[in-house]
Amino acid sequence: RMGSVSYFAVASLPAFYAFTTIAPIPDPKYIPASPSIYKMDAISLDDGKYFLVAVPREIIEKYKRIFKAAGLKLARLELESFALARALGVSDQPVIIIDVGERSTTFTIAKNGRAEFVSRTDFALASQAPNVIMDKVRRLALSKGIKNIIRARETSVVNGL
């Protein structure tokens, strides 16, 4: 036993709970909903623009209740894409991270450990549509100026481990 106990927790949200966009300024007018129903965060990007993330307040409150019931205080809530970007997007060149889930597939463009763009499609593991997913990756790479698409021969993540 280490003798120290932390009651604070950090949790990640699937991308389908959030609205994301790139904007010239960190202004709620770029989010297509009333600011009273969501909480927005703005992340400054290298090109002077902002990566806006908006999560419905009801989702945030739901997570707070779950953690409180577990005896924890929710210190921070972030998109799963941000954690993946920190872990996998450590190159100084843009990298596309593809997270194929049960409900949807999330595409994150990361550079230097930071998510700079997040997009999502409803094609997922259950859809058995790998060609559709790779087509989206190719179009995204082309639109963002990413020249090389390197596909791992075999990568597998089981139960988030």
Side-chain angles (χ1 to χ4, degrees):
R1 251 182 131 184
M2 291 177 42
S4 65
V5 178
S6 174
Y7 295 101
F8 294 93
V10 175
S12 62
L13 284 172
F16 56 78
Y17 279 138
F19 175 83
T20 63
T21 191
I22 305 295
I25 58 173
D27 191 321
K29 73 179 181 182
Y30 294 101
I31 307 297
S34 168
S36 65
I37 64 170
Y38 66 84
K39 184 170 184 337
M40 184 188 87
D41 194 10
I43 299 156
S44 177
L45 299 175
D46 292 339
D47 63 2
K49 294 182 181 174
Y50 292 86
F51 181 44
L52 306 182
V53 179
V55 176
R57 292 182 189 279
E58 69 182 56
I59 298 298
I60 295 168
E61 292 306 315
K62 175 182 172 182
Y63 272 72
K64 284 181 179 178
R65 285 191 305 272
I66 291 168
F67 279 79
K68 184 177 181 180
L72 301 168
K73 180 174 172 68
L74 187 59
R76 191 175 77 202
L77 200 52
E78 69 178 3
L79 292 183
E80 291 171 345
S81 301
F82 289 19
L84 288 171
R86 277 195 307 278
L88 303 174
V90 294
S91 171
D92 62 351
Q93 297 297 311
V95 175
I96 298 178
I97 301 167
I98 308 160
D99 182 10
V100 181
E102 188 67 30
R103 286 178 61 176
S104 64
T105 297
T106 303
F107 305 92
T108 303
I109 295 180
K111 183 177 170 186
N112 295 321
R114 290 182 54 193
E116 295 191 345
F117 178 83
V118 177
S119 178
R120 184 183 68 75
T121 181
D122 288 333
F123 288 101
L125 194 60
S127 71
Q128 301 294 318
N131 292 337
V132 172
I133 292 169
M134 284 310 297
D135 183 54
K136 169 101 174 161
V137 169
R138 286 184 197 94
R139 285 185 281 126
L140 183 59
L142 183 64
S143 74
K144 298 296 180 182
I146 297 173
K147 295 178 177 39
N148 295 319
I149 299 175
I150 301 168
R151 208 169 157 186
R153 287 188 184 156
E154 192 174 312
T155 304
S156 134
V157 177
V158 180
N159 293 331
L161 301 175

